[in-house]
Amino acid sequence: MSLAQAVPNRFEDLFAREYPRVVSVAYRITRDSADAEDVAQEVFAQFVRMRRASDANAPAWLHVAAIHVALNGLRSQRRRRDREGRAAQPGGALHSTAGAANPEQLIEQNFDRECVRRALVRLAQKDAEILALRYGGLSYREIADAMHIDAAQIGTRLARAERAFRRELEHERI
Amino acid sequence: MNESDSVRDSAIAATALGGEVPVDVEAAYRRFKGGPLAKAGTPRWLLPVAAMATAAAFACAFVFTPLGGYASAFLTIFQPREFQPITLSTADMHQLRLFRNADEIGTQRVVMKPRRTYFSSVSAAQKHVAFALREPGVLPSGFGIVHSYFVFSPGALSLTFNAARAQAFARRSHKTLPPMPPSLNGTTVMLRSGDVFNAHYETGKNGRFFELIEMQAPRVTSTGASLQTLKRYVLAMPKISPALASQIQALGANSIPVPVNIDKQHAQHVSVDGVQGLAIGDNTGLGAGVLWQKDGIMYVVGGPLSMTDVLTVANGLR
């Protein structure tokens, strides 16, 4: 392999390649496809202001930025609800969810989604990151690049994050 | 924790966090390009960086316009040794955009397209550059973790002036253009750029970065029209303000013109690397850059840094 490595320098190429993955990562946190797309749009807007498409670590930056923007969005929603006195009840507003056969099912799905969101917000940041990256479809290698950790540690860290997530989820559903 | 606990945790996480998200990338890209997010919030520090880029590739930005036609011929008869700011108002900038498309007055061709290649180190890049690369001896606080190096191979662009095309453009756009001198009609100017080295430094956090550009001075040749002919043609163009015209008239024989938007930037000559350079700062103080030429190589250092940091990097090249 030559020392020289051609680097794709067109933003469009990066967008086409990474946008679906950024949406996928964000969706793990938002649990809403429209919200996930909003997050992805925001992330790419930040990217063009701060980075270059040719940066070798551009995908890693995008993936982590998606998590931060999504989590920040959830936290700001939570603060807003706190201010409005509607914080305690999960699933304040109902979102139409594909596959919901009746109102009861819709309510249940929204409750589940809100529980997941709240559990993720309560997790340590690194735990939320590794869960979103893994279930967003990234490989161990890509997760290692995004989180700046050794790929050999991913399995252990992921198991720890899944355990913490399960506990938080159980807490939310009580 | 036993294995069954781990399996159960994974299963719960997979159920709660799994799922496919269908995405229409083309629609998303249209939304991105058309929406406010992509357009809003261009940081002010990009302005001097843009000015640096313009200067570093000044021929690309300048040569292939009627104004640039002047610059082209200007460069055929001397070796540029210094940068000279041409101060333009935002209104001037808008007027000049009227002439940005060189196809309106002639035919432009990419004779040789520069190719950008990434290298992981300066020593690797050096093998592909025909001049001795220099690196910062001192980096601003926080820098030193992430470096990227690129080399652009030589390139060439040409513009052949065409009086009939210019007249057609004038009719189509209801503009009044000066008649193209017979000696200019059919003249081809060609810009040839040499090797260009670009080092990108960042902190790895906070989005802070700066650029170092080192390049062989470009060469411009003309097949016919003289400098004076081009000069008269350019200065006869409509919308060229008297202030801009006088600055073009006053350009020194060894100067490279660098457009500076006086509404957003300021420029001043400074001593850098043992020679005279041109420092350009964003009026908000968020970004700065400096350009200079030494031993036939043009240098640019710029980014969202203070002018002090930029000059420290520039003076510390080794």
Side-chain angles (χ1 to χ4, degrees):
Chain A
M1 184 177 172
S2 167
L3 282 173
Q5 177 189 355
V7 171
N9 58 5
R10 295 183 63 226
F11 175 75
E12 291 87 343
D13 293 341
L14 180 73
F15 191 96
R17 195 171 59 247
E18 293 300 331
Y19 185 84
R21 285 149 61 87
V22 171
V23 171
S24 180
V25 168
Y27 177 75
R28 307 309 131 188
I29 296 169
T30 65
R31 307 307 300 164
D32 180 283
S33 56
D35 287 350
E37 290 232 27
D38 288 346
V39 167
Q41 294 277 331
E42 170 65 26
V43 166
F44 275 94
Q46 288 185 12
F47 181 86
V48 298
R49 291 197 292 266
M50 300 171 65
R51 308 286 292 217
R52 298 191 308 187
S54 58
D55 287 356
N57 57 351
W61 188 95
L62 289 166
H63 302 150
V64 172
I67 296 166
H68 291 176
V69 171
L71 284 173
N72 286 340
L74 290 190
R75 291 182 183 119
S76 61
Q77 284 176 15
R78 194 175 175 183
R79 284 193 294 271
R80 190 167 61 247
R81 288 176 185 171
D82 285 347
R83 284 197 303 273
E84 294 169 357
R86 296 190 281 111
Q89 302 304 316
L94 290 183
H95 293 259
S96 175
T97 306
N102 53 56
E104 290 77 14
Q105 200 171 355
L106 184 61
I107 290 170
E108 187 174 342
Q109 287 182 355
N110 276 276
F111 177 81
D112 285 345
R113 175 173 51 204
E114 193 64 21
C115 287
V116 170
R117 287 173 169 177
R118 291 164 66 93
L120 286 169
V121 167
R122 289 168 62 95
L123 279 181
Q125 178 90 9
K126 291 296 181 188
D127 286 345
E129 284 183 11
I130 199 168
L131 289 172
L133 293 171
R134 182 55 180 160
Y135 289 97
L138 272 65
S139 68
Y140 277 24
R141 178 72 262 164
E142 290 169 321
I143 295 171
D145 288 343
M147 297 184 69
H148 303 293
I149 57 178
D150 191 334
Q153 300 177 19
I154 299 296
T156 305
R157 290 202 181 203
L158 182 60
R160 197 161 58 209
E162 287 171 340
R163 185 168 69 247
F165 176 69
R166 189 253 303 160
R167 287 174 177 163
E168 292 295 345
L169 200 56
E170 288 173 351
H171 172 80
E172 290 296 332
R173 283 173 168 163
I174 290 174
Chain B
M1 187 179 68
N2 60 39
E3 189 174 344
S4 64
D5 286 340
S6 178
V7 171
R8 185 183 58 149
D9 293 342
S10 293
I12 290 172
T15 301
L17 300 173
E20 296 294 318
V21 195
V23 174
D24 183 341
V25 176
E26 288 188 8
Y29 191 65
R30 285 196 298 273
R31 175 187 170 191
F32 181 79
K33 297 298 285 185
L37 288 175
K39 296 174 181 172
T42 300
R44 297 297 299 272
W45 49 257
L46 273 182
L47 299 172
V49 173
M52 299 301 101
T54 300
F58 71 96
C60 298
F62 233 53
V63 165
F64 297 109
T65 67
L67 184 64
Y70 162 70
S72 304
F74 199 67
L75 287 167
T76 59
I77 59 171
F78 70 94
Q79 287 296 314
R81 292 194 179 88
E82 65 178 17
F83 295 95
Q84 181 69 37
I86 292 184
T87 54
L88 302 165
S89 66
T90 301
D92 287 334
M93 291 280 193
H94 283 300
Q95 297 297 352
L96 288 177
R97 286 191 191 121
L98 294 174
F99 309 111
R100 193 157 51 181
N101 186 356
D103 281 327
E104 292 163 351
I105 57 160
T107 303
Q108 61 176 340
R109 286 197 309 125
V110 178
V111 179
M112 183 164 51
K113 186 176 182 180
R115 186 169 58 85
R116 181 166 67 168
T117 307
Y118 167 79
F119 294 94
S120 59
S121 68
V122 175
S123 59
Q126 180 65 77
K127 296 172 185 172
H128 298 262
V129 177
F131 58 91
L133 296 179
R134 300 168 72 192
E135 291 182 82
V138 181
L139 291 172
S141 174
F143 286 86
I145 300 172
V146 183
H147 303 170
S148 302
Y149 306 101
F150 300 90
V151 171
F152 294 78
S153 62
L157 296 167
S158 72
L159 171 64
T160 301
F161 287 88
N162 184 321
R165 191 180 283 259
Q167 288 168 0
F169 167 68
R171 283 195 301 272
R172 194 170 60 248
S173 59
H174 306 291
K175 298 181 190 305
T176 302
L177 298 182
M180 187 177 288
S183 61
L184 182 57
N185 186 22
T187 288
T188 297
V189 292
M190 184 173 293
L191 162 71
R192 291 182 177 86
S193 64
D195 294 331
V196 179
F197 170 70
N198 171 209
H200 172 80
Y201 299 87
E202 59 184 278
T203 58
K205 56 184 178 182
N206 304 328
R208 294 184 69 219
F209 70 90
F210 73 87
E211 308 283 352
L212 164 64
I213 297 171
E214 304 175 22
M215 62 188 290
Q216 294 169 310
R219 292 179 297 119
V220 179
T221 57
S222 169
T223 59
S226 68
L227 168 65
Q228 288 304 320
T229 300
L230 284 161
K231 185 177 179 181
R232 279 197 299 272
Y233 183 59
V234 169
L235 294 180
M237 286 285 174
K239 310 294 186 181
I240 301 290
S241 70
L244 176 57
S246 66
Q247 289 184 82
I248 293 173
Q249 292 274 25
L251 273 173
N254 296 315
S255 300
I256 298 171
V258 178
V260 174
N261 186 336
I262 55 173
D263 295 330
K264 297 175 180 174
Q265 300 155 350
H266 58 272
Q268 66 183 86
H269 288 294
V270 293
S271 176
V272 57
D273 198 21
V275 299
Q276 179 177 270
L278 180 66
I280 300 176
D282 171 22
N283 287 347
T284 64
L286 293 177
V290 62
L291 311 85
W292 73 101
Q293 179 170 333
K294 187 173 185 178
D295 300 330
I297 305 299
M298 295 164 59
Y299 297 90
V300 180
V301 174
L305 301 178
S306 69
M307 186 61 79
T308 301
D309 280 344
V310 164
L311 289 173
T312 299
V313 171
N315 282 313
L317 290 187
R318 60 188 182 189

